[in-house]
Amino acid sequence: MRSFPAAPLALTALMLGAGCRPAAPSRSSSAERPNVLLVTIDTLRADHVGCYGYKQASTPTIDALAGRGVRFETAVAHAPLTGPSHASILTGQIPLGHGFRNNSGFTLSPKVKTAAEAFRLAGYRTAAFVSGFPLDRRFGFDRGFDTYDDHLPRGNDPRRTPYVERFADATTDAALRWLPGASGASAAPWFMWVHYYDPHAPYEPPADLAARYRESPYDGEIAFVDRQLARLLQAVDARGDTPRTVILVTADHGESLGEHGEGTHGVFLYDATIRVPWVMSGPQIPTGGRVSPTLARSIDVLPTLADYAGLPRPADVDGRSLRPAADGREMADAPSYAESLYPELELGWAPLYSWRVGRLKFIKAPRPELYDLASDASETNNRAEIDHARAHEMERTLDDTLRRLPPPVAAQPVDPEAAERLRALGYVSGSGGSRPAGEPQRDPKDGIRLLPHLNRGMSAARTEPDVAIQELTAVLKDDPGLLMARRTRAVAYAAAGKHELAIADLRTLDRNGQLTPEDAVVLGDNLRAAGRLQEAALILERAARENPSFVQPLISLADVRIQERKDDEAAALCDRVLTLAPDHIEALRHLGDLALLKGDLESAGARYGRILELDAGDVPALTKLGVVRVRSGRPDLGTQLFRQAIERDPKNADALLYLAGALASSGHPSDALPYFERALGAGPPSTILLNGLGLTRRAVGDTAGAAAAFRQSLRLDPNQPDIARTLSELR
Ligand SMILES: [Zn+2]
């Protein structure tokens, strides 16, 4: 059973298209079945890959895979968004079928069967290594995987939100750690999904590629992923697994790169974001680099892989196996559906739906569009008025598809997760979001000019909050219903320390029923920062209750309890997080900090040590473990850890200060001095830092410098009689 009961039959018939006869599944036992490696590269548009004709590309690994296997010239996604598109890849259903329709506010319904479940059922070992927050396990993508590795490092770049991305080298490392245990001649076959996120904005490839692709850093990110893919495939090869591994590389969506006024992706349904690569190779896949002209769709991935693995055709899928096309047999194109609800759910504009048949694409929008893709690949010549009859006919087919799915009803028992979905689907069915009833929705083509301002606001929200507030306020003046602008302005207000203004924006969202669980966390954090601890606890408890699998409200609630000096309650909350998400790094960090406060050095050391096992570059954990070592009587180990932390993040004020303090107190004041100076340059001064600097300057004989540091410290806090006395003794 799926979530939308009346749909499957009609929709399946429609989506299967004509001219295909699925191959009968072979009756091989699981030991004879091939391994399956599915690689999805986020945000990779097909025409930036070498084998798709891009001259500047550095994608030798993908190109070689296509050269020894099969490539589909035209492959398309069903949504320009990570979550919905991956849901289609992993379930073989269009978004209307699997119901995961936007990155936020949806989870994959347990009623929808996934590729991992199908492979596990057939005796496969299953593992996934994902690199972006939209695929976090709380969205349900982990179902069916024995191993689901979604550990995203904290990162040390203050311009980036922590825990949203893992770079391709680290993801490959994780996959390579798993592989040996899963391989071997006698072992069961494996199904591994590796997801790379690097080509997603911001485009910041490693130094050598940044230099080489100065003009197009997006291509540098793609080159980096290709290198890491090479490592992954080499490891498979080194184990002798290549001859028995089906490898399929595709993407969830492309990137607009400015086409149609869109910088990234998510709003429009043009081929810049909908067309993706699809290359595959492996046993039973013809060698020699065939290029198939048959349209390949994301919903065809699962049935195709199942076919090669000899699994029965999964029930309820909308797609079809492309094996006949790969074999060179004639296979007529099936129609393809795509949608983006993002404009409606996040921006308050009209949603977009598209229907592609052969060379034609129709886009349903307030001002509809029709393109002849064969003669107008860049989709700049809208033929909807010239070819009115054709546009009308395609719109009717599309409307039929949309109508085949009955509106969700709330009569069934509703768990909080489903409630969240129904609430979100409520926007879809036209409850209007924040727009007054009856007012027509803005065509995304008209709203898109606001997005550069919105994007600037979003990227500056944490680092240059004043710039962000200015941009976002201008956007909201033009379009007060633009929810993302209001959400992001709240984050910028928070970063600027204007907590009451942040609270006002979020309360507005809450009043309109538009507060997402993520918003609730931001609201709770701001209430806490404003000292309104009881209100903070209320909103966070509500968010935790309504979203039992979402751990962030519990972490933020732990922060409230710590501020209330209820350390035991805070620790209990973090323990609860660990039962929901084992090895949750912030929960481990809180538990480490709480243990350190209590002087339980052993427990604190264990927590920080575990964090570093998961993410060796976690600078706060390196620093705190250093503190534990110093306090355990091992200043040598402590300074070593502080130095490691500074190497990774040369401006980390805590690590600099602790190293300075450790050197000064172990009788090395002249070694300590430069670190005090650097700590002073790395962040706002504190009395601890200034007093340490003063004492150290005094120790090396710099009386005037010492006096200056003490005077600055006393300006911050005049109530320091010891420092005042030390200062007077200097003269
Ligand atoms: Zn994506």
Side-chain angles (χ1 to χ4, degrees):
M1 275 299 292
R2 13 193 289 181
S3 44
F4 299 100
L9 218 75
L11 191 66
T12 302
L14 185 76
M15 299 302 290
L16 271 171
C20 115
R21 195 180 318 138
S26 57
R27 297 270 169 256
S28 51
S29 74
S30 75
E32 295 160 350
R33 291 192 165 124
N35 302 317
V36 173
L37 170 59
L38 169 64
V39 177
T40 59
I41 302 175
D42 215 283
T43 322
L44 176 58
R45 54 185 280 174
D47 60 3
H48 277 240
V49 178
C51 57
Y52 283 86
Y54 189 56
K55 296 278 183 294
Q56 289 157 257
S58 177
T59 51
T61 313
I62 300 174
D63 302 344
L65 201 64
R68 66 167 194 263
V70 170
R71 173 168 76 84
F72 285 88
E73 178 61 25
T74 310
V76 292
H78 306 285
L81 293 162
T82 306
S85 183
H86 275 97
S88 286
I89 293 170
L90 295 169
T91 68
Q93 296 187 27
I94 60 170
L96 288 162
H98 60 61
F100 193 111
R101 305 187 69 184
N102 191 30
N103 278 344
S104 69
F106 290 83
T107 52
L108 196 57
S109 163
K111 291 174 185 163
V112 181
K113 292 286 164 258
T114 68
E117 289 173 299
F119 281 100
R120 181 147 81 179
L121 200 64
Y124 274 70
R125 300 182 210 196
T126 54
F129 303 87
V130 301
S131 309
F133 174 69
L135 300 176
D136 185 280
R137 71 183 64 213
R138 73 190 177 90
F139 299 116
F141 291 102
D142 61 327
R143 199 148 31 82
F145 285 105
D146 306 328
T147 296
Y148 194 81
D149 182 338
D150 56 356
H151 288 302
L152 305 180
R154 179 176 173 279
N156 298 318
D157 186 341
R159 291 166 304 164
R160 296 193 186 206
T161 312
Y163 308 115
V164 294
E165 174 174 19
R166 170 162 64 176
F167 296 146
D169 47 356
T171 302
T172 305
D173 289 344
L176 297 191
R177 280 195 295 272
W178 179 82
L179 202 53
S183 298
S186 61
W190 47 256
F191 168 69
M192 172 159 64
W193 166 36
V194 177
H195 163 254
Y196 293 121
Y197 200 63
D198 303 61
H200 198 281
Y203 317 127
E204 290 171 341
D208 67 314
L209 291 167
R212 187 164 146 203
Y213 288 98
R214 194 159 293 144
E215 301 302 314
S216 55
Y218 170 66
D219 293 328
E221 295 272 36
I222 295 169
F224 181 60
V225 168
D226 189 273
R227 263 185 204 169
Q228 297 303 322
L229 180 60
R231 281 180 62 216
L232 181 64
L233 299 189
Q234 276 155 17
V236 172
D237 203 47
R239 312 199 61 78
D241 276 347
T242 300
R244 55 185 207 115
T245 302
V246 171
I247 302 166
L248 193 158
V249 178
T250 186
D252 58 345
H253 52 78
E255 187 80 320
S256 280
L257 302 172
E259 287 180 38
H260 306 280
E262 183 177 46
T264 56
H265 59 269
V267 175
F268 288 141
L269 300 176
Y270 304 113
D271 273 11
T273 59
I274 290 299
R275 198 172 152 229
V276 294
W278 176 321
V279 303
M280 58 184 191
S281 107
Q284 304 183 66
I285 297 175
T287 55
R290 170 174 289 132
V291 181
S292 170
T294 301
L295 179 74
R297 305 164 300 173
S298 293
I299 50 173
D300 300 328
V301 168
L302 170 56
T304 302
L305 293 177
D307 191 346
Y308 284 116
L311 269 53
R313 186 177 184 283
D316 285 346
V317 303
D318 297 322
R320 59 181 183 170
S321 169
L322 295 179
R323 190 167 170 180
D327 287 342
R329 285 153 58 191
E330 173 124 358
M331 213 175 165
D333 284 351
S336 192
Y337 167 88
E339 68 170 34
S340 181
L341 272 50
Y342 176 83
E344 180 168 48
L345 298 178
E346 304 290 4
L347 307 169
W349 305 338
L352 295 175
Y353 305 95
S354 78
W355 189 251
R356 177 189 204 116
V357 186
R359 58 193 280 172
L360 294 177
K361 187 201 279 186
F362 173 78
I363 299 172
K364 187 179 172 69
R367 288 200 311 288
E369 295 161 75
L370 176 69
Y371 297 104
D372 179 352
L373 300 167
S375 65
D376 177 26
S378 56
E379 296 161 279
T380 48
N381 181 17
N382 181 5
R383 304 176 50 82
E385 286 191 12
I386 304 165
D387 202 348
H388 180 78
R390 186 71 60 94
H392 193 68
E393 181 197 321
M394 289 181 78
E395 178 165 24
R396 254 202 331 264
T397 319
L398 176 59
D399 282 347
D400 264 1
T401 303
L402 291 169
R403 253 198 307 274
R404 270 163 217 269
L405 293 160
V409 282
Q412 314 138 340
V414 180
D415 61 27
E417 177 190 85
E420 179 68 14
R421 274 178 59 203
L422 290 174
R423 185 178 71 78
L425 285 169
Y427 296 133
V428 177
S429 61
S431 69
S434 61
R435 209 161 289 279
E439 190 183 306
Q441 286 175 309
R442 185 180 277 216
D443 192 312
K445 293 191 283 295
D446 298 326
I448 199 78
R449 66 189 163 73
L450 293 176
L451 281 200
H453 302 282
L454 178 64
N455 287 335
R456 253 200 305 283
M458 286 167 74
S459 61
R462 286 161 191 277
T463 49
E464 296 174 275
D466 293 337
V467 173
I469 291 163
Q470 200 179 354
E471 292 279 2
L472 297 167
T473 302
V475 169
L476 284 167
K477 202 170 162 201
D478 186 300
D479 190 346
L482 212 153
L483 302 181
M484 189 69 99
R486 198 169 297 281
R487 295 207 153 95
T488 313
R489 191 171 69 174
V491 172
Y493 277 140
K498 298 173 179 171
H499 300 293
E500 295 296 343
L501 291 171
I503 291 164
D505 265 347
L506 293 162
R507 289 285 193 208
T508 301
L509 291 174
D510 197 14
R511 268 195 304 279
N512 296 332
Q514 293 155 335
L515 197 78
T516 65
E518 288 84 355
D519 295 335
V521 170
V522 180
L523 177 54
D525 289 346
N526 275 284
L527 287 164
R528 174 176 59 79
R532 293 156 65 175
L533 299 182
Q534 269 183 337
E535 286 170 85
L538 276 177
I539 192 83
L540 292 166
E541 279 164 354
R542 187 183 99 191
R545 202 167 49 242
E546 290 175 357
N547 308 276
S549 57
F550 184 24
V551 297
Q552 200 55 48
L554 300 174
I555 295 281
S556 287
L557 192 55
D559 287 328
V560 174
R561 298 302 178 221
I562 288 169
Q563 209 155 320
E564 291 173 335
R565 314 239 159 150
K566 296 175 179 165
D567 289 1
D568 291 343
E569 280 184 41
L573 285 161
C574 294
D575 284 331
R576 205 169 123 200
V577 169
L578 291 180
T579 62
L580 291 166
D583 290 333
H584 189 280
I585 287 183
E586 283 311 304
L588 289 169
R589 196 189 313 284
H590 276 69
L591 288 167
D593 292 350
L594 288 164
L596 193 57
L597 271 177
K598 279 187 4 196
D600 181 353
L601 298 177
E602 195 181 322
S603 168
R607 302 295 191 182
Y608 298 131
R610 181 67 191 138
I611 294 175
L612 292 169
E613 278 170 26
L614 298 165
D615 176 7
D618 190 298
V619 168
L622 284 169
T623 308
K624 288 289 179 60
L625 187 60
V627 173
V628 171
R629 295 291 178 255
V630 169
R631 286 176 52 183
S632 313
R634 294 300 306 267
D636 51 331
L637 294 179
T639 51
Q640 203 178 322
L641 285 158
F642 299 142
R643 286 185 199 279
Q644 278 180 41
I646 293 164
E647 201 175 302
R648 292 195 176 260
D649 182 7
K651 291 189 165 179
N652 190 285
D654 282 345
L656 290 164
L657 177 58
Y658 281 122
L659 178 58
L663 290 169
S665 58
S666 60
H668 302 93
S670 50
D671 292 341
L673 206 49
Y675 291 105
F676 276 121
E677 309 271 3
R678 279 172 65 184
L680 196 59
S686 64
T687 53
I688 295 177
L689 168 56
L690 290 165
N691 298 342
L693 177 64
L695 291 169
T696 309
R697 280 177 176 166
R698 191 186 63 175
V700 299
D702 176 8
T703 314
F710 291 139
R711 272 196 295 272
Q712 198 182 345
S713 175
L714 287 165
R715 276 199 296 278
L716 284 183
D717 179 7
N719 188 24
Q720 300 183 84
D722 290 355
I723 296 300
R725 195 174 328 111
T726 310
L727 176 61
S728 68
E729 286 165 9
L730 275 177
R731 292 167 185 160

